[in-house]
Amino acid sequence: MTATSEQEPSALYDVPGPKARKRHRIFGVLATLAIAAILGWILYLLFDTDQFTTAKWRPFAYTGIQELLLRGLGNTLKAFAYASVLSLVLGGVLAVGRLSDHRPVRWVATVIVEFFRAMPVLVMIFFVFVALQVQALPALVTGLTLYNGSVLAEVFRSGVNSVDKGQREAAYALGMRKTQVMVQVLAPQALRAMLPAIISQLVVALKDTSLGYLITYEEFLHAGKLIASNLDYDLPFIPVVMVISPIYIGMCMLLSWFAQWVSRRQRRDPKAKAAAVTRAEPGGLLPGER
Amino acid sequence: MNVLTDNFSTYGKGFLGTVELTVYASLLALALGFLMASFRVAPVASLRFFGTAWVTVLRNTPLTLLFFAVLLGLPRFGLVLPFQLFAVLALGCYTSAFICEALRSGINTVPRGQGEAARSLGMTFGQTLSAVVLPQAFRSVIAPVGSTLIALAKNSAIAGAFSVTELLGTYRTLSELGYNIIWTFVWIALGYLIITLTISALFHLMEKRWGVAR
């Protein structure tokens, strides 16, 4: 592999000559050493503060603890499933509202979408949990649905708007009704183009299910906290983090990679030609948004 | 209405706490994000790898988990700092991953020919960077960086649940005092709206002043 093919072209650097390559190699060695030193220091700290003692890792061998963790994981996935299905529905409804030809409907939908996008999710979750006094799971799901539904509404809307104008005009010219144009022509193409952005938003929803921990919903992090604060196991805090975070981050990463895979696939697909396929980036800007 | 007037100092303290948290975490996120972006576009493979790993891991980490690990985990290493500092650390590191991606895609929007032209005029690397590439990249990153910082301000609410003084946490004090909980939340919501709309207006102004016409 040559030096140029390793990197995407950018305006910053020239193709390195022999001298620059040598310099880069020296920098590379130094950087690798520095990174290794940081990792070594973290490892030293872990050993120095006795994080690998049997007492701290013993709880994970018990089936009771394993079941507790699995139950927590199950609750996390349950909240995610409810929240994602409901926010897709809410997003669809709000997007229809925003694309409506009737001004009052459009106005109401816009206010709802803008308000819930500007509010922290946690404020909504706490509001439902504390002020309306509902159970933890419905409170979490409501908060996540309102926020992600509003974001998805914008995704759907910009998807429909990004479909090539000729498609709509051709459909109307064929004598199709408004609803037919939307359902049979625009929505399918918009959905294809926006699929990566939709999945990326679901990654956000999955990440935010961990907010349930703050309202004592018995999810994955909550289960971890229970184990971590147990004196019998010498407060195995770091071991719990070391067990929980790879699973949590791994789940989100899998979903993110799925979004990227879909994005690459759709880009090659001739059926998705009439609307530009979005990039799979969580929190990224939608086309046309500033 | 009297919820606000009676407890103006409580709300004020919470509001200032959120603003402080947002400002400090933003500065950390911008600095770290810039560093990571420079790693990600560097010609040195190991730095690129480090930057990519940083971004991939942090972007897929639930922020609550990060708060959990930083605020409750780092003290186990004997690192005892005020909770507010831990919160800034967690928020800043988390957001730096998003800032890094915004900056990197900004640098990638600068056409390759710009750098080549600068070099063929005899400009040094520093000159190319500071006079040609970064000014152009800056124009196209204003909007995405703005929306990232708005997300940061909203995420700072999580810190309140970890007993850092900030806006959302004020509801606990007020509900103990027996105030109407719905109105308590209305004023909290208004506080967040003020913060996010201010950031939004600020970046809108910058975008108008320096942004690229699209």
Side-chain angles (χ1 to χ4, degrees):
Chain A
M1 205 155 59
T2 59
T4 42
S5 67
E6 283 171 12
Q7 210 185 345
E8 40 192 300
S10 101
L12 282 175
Y13 301 99
D14 228 336
V15 180
K19 255 189 192 167
R21 266 211 293 278
K22 204 163 141 196
R23 203 168 57 228
H24 290 168
R25 219 171 293 134
I26 294 169
F27 280 143
V29 171
L30 287 179
T32 314
L33 284 177
I35 293 166
I38 293 171
L39 289 180
W41 180 61
I42 292 172
L43 212 61
Y44 165 76
L45 273 181
L46 285 175
F47 276 106
D48 193 43
T49 49
D50 292 330
Q51 301 301 341
F52 293 110
T53 54
T54 333
K56 284 191 176 172
W57 285 85
R58 202 181 48 208
F60 299 107
Y62 297 147
T63 41
I65 297 271
Q66 288 165 0
E67 274 165 16
L68 177 73
L69 279 174
L70 280 180
R71 225 174 13 248
L73 190 61
N75 280 340
T76 290
L77 292 177
K78 194 164 81 183
F80 170 60
Y82 282 134
S84 47
V85 170
L86 288 176
S87 52
L88 284 171
V89 173
L90 180 70
V93 171
L94 287 176
V96 168
R98 287 211 67 173
L99 289 164
S100 166
D101 282 342
H102 307 286
R103 191 174 296 158
V105 178
R106 213 163 52 216
W107 203 78
V108 169
T110 308
V111 169
I112 292 176
V113 166
E114 290 302 326
F115 177 76
F116 285 120
R117 277 194 337 148
M119 252 322 97
V121 207
L122 197 59
V123 171
M124 291 180 247
I125 294 175
F126 266 95
F127 177 76
V128 178
F129 184 64
V130 178
L132 306 183
Q133 306 226 319
V134 290
Q135 295 282 307
L137 176 63
L140 177 65
V141 170
T142 312
L144 290 180
T145 302
L146 288 176
Y147 175 69
N148 290 300
S150 303
V151 177
L152 283 174
E154 284 297 88
V155 172
F156 292 146
R157 188 179 69 102
S158 64
V160 168
N161 283 342
S162 74
V163 176
D164 196 30
K165 206 170 62 187
Q167 298 280 328
R168 181 197 306 258
E169 287 165 356
Y172 277 123
L174 286 173
M176 287 172 121
R177 296 173 52 87
K178 203 166 71 184
T179 317
Q180 279 181 310
V181 174
M182 185 59 78
V183 173
Q184 293 178 2
V185 178
L186 297 181
Q189 300 191 72
L191 210 62
R192 272 178 187 284
M194 286 294 148
L195 204 54
I198 293 168
I199 301 172
S200 296
Q201 193 55 40
L202 293 185
V203 176
V204 175
L206 177 57
K207 278 162 61 177
D208 284 349
T209 55
S210 66
L211 293 172
Y213 164 71
L214 303 176
I215 54 166
T216 63
Y217 173 55
E218 288 169 355
E219 48 82 72
F220 200 36
L221 210 53
H222 188 263
K225 169 78 177 176
L226 282 184
I227 303 166
S229 49
N230 196 329
L231 272 172
D232 287 350
Y233 309 126
D234 196 17
L235 299 171
F237 205 92
I238 305 291
V240 163
V241 170
M242 282 163 80
V243 168
I244 283 185
S245 27
I247 299 175
Y248 235 133
I249 298 171
M251 286 193 304
C252 299
M253 249 182 213
L254 273 181
L255 206 53
S256 297
W257 275 332
F258 179 58
Q260 275 162 19
W261 178 76
V262 168
S263 174
R264 272 199 304 274
R265 224 180 100 93
Q266 296 284 34
R267 234 176 269 273
R268 289 198 308 264
D269 193 344
K271 286 180 199 153
K273 219 168 47 184
V277 176
T278 49
R279 288 173 61 91
E281 276 180 1
L285 277 183
L286 301 172
E289 191 190 333
R290 25 185 55 213
Chain B
M1 192 65 206
N2 67 336
V3 182
L4 181 67
T5 46
D6 288 2
N7 302 288
F8 203 74
S9 69
T10 314
Y11 272 120
K13 222 178 279 168
F15 185 78
L16 285 183
T18 295
V19 170
E20 218 172 288
L21 207 58
T22 306
V23 169
Y24 289 145
S26 299
L27 291 179
L28 178 66
L30 286 172
L32 258 181
F34 187 80
L35 184 71
M36 288 301 154
S38 64
F39 280 2
R40 283 208 71 175
V41 297
V44 180
S46 56
L47 286 181
R48 252 187 348 254
F49 177 78
F50 183 71
T52 313
W54 177 272
V55 168
T56 316
V57 169
L58 278 175
R59 274 213 309 198
N60 288 299
T61 307
L63 187 53
T64 325
L65 176 64
L66 193 63
F67 263 97
F68 185 75
V70 169
L71 271 85
L72 307 174
L74 284 188
R76 308 282 149 150
F77 288 149
L79 188 67
V80 183
L81 295 170
F83 263 28
Q84 180 142 28
L85 209 63
F86 276 137
V88 167
L89 209 63
L91 261 179
C93 287
Y94 177 76
T95 314
S96 75
F98 296 88
I99 297 273
C100 166
E101 282 308 89
L103 295 181
R104 189 176 70 104
S105 61
I107 289 173
N108 284 341
T109 56
V110 179
R112 219 179 161 185
Q114 295 283 331
E116 286 168 352
R119 278 189 293 274
S120 64
L121 285 173
M123 285 179 158
T124 61
F125 176 69
Q127 283 173 323
T128 312
L129 196 65
S130 60
V132 177
V133 176
L134 286 187
Q136 294 187 61
F138 170 71
R139 283 158 188 273
S140 62
V141 301
I142 297 172
V145 166
S147 66
T148 309
L149 292 187
I150 289 172
L152 184 151
K154 293 194 292 175
N155 284 334
S156 73
I158 296 175
F162 285 97
S163 58
V164 175
T165 311
E166 59 80 62
L167 195 52
L168 177 59
T170 53
Y171 92 87
R172 229 172 276 133
T173 327
L174 296 187
S175 72
E176 272 167 24
L177 290 172
Y179 283 99
N180 184 337
I181 197 79
I182 303 222
W183 277 102
T184 311
F185 269 96
V186 167
W187 297 119
I188 289 176
L190 195 72
Y192 277 106
L193 277 186
I194 291 173
I195 295 175
T196 50
L197 290 181
T198 309
I199 302 176
S200 165
L202 204 69
F203 275 86
H204 199 73
L205 218 69
M206 283 168 73
E207 173 85 28
K208 239 180 164 166
R209 178 83 177 72
W210 293 300
V212 233
R214 267 179 296 193

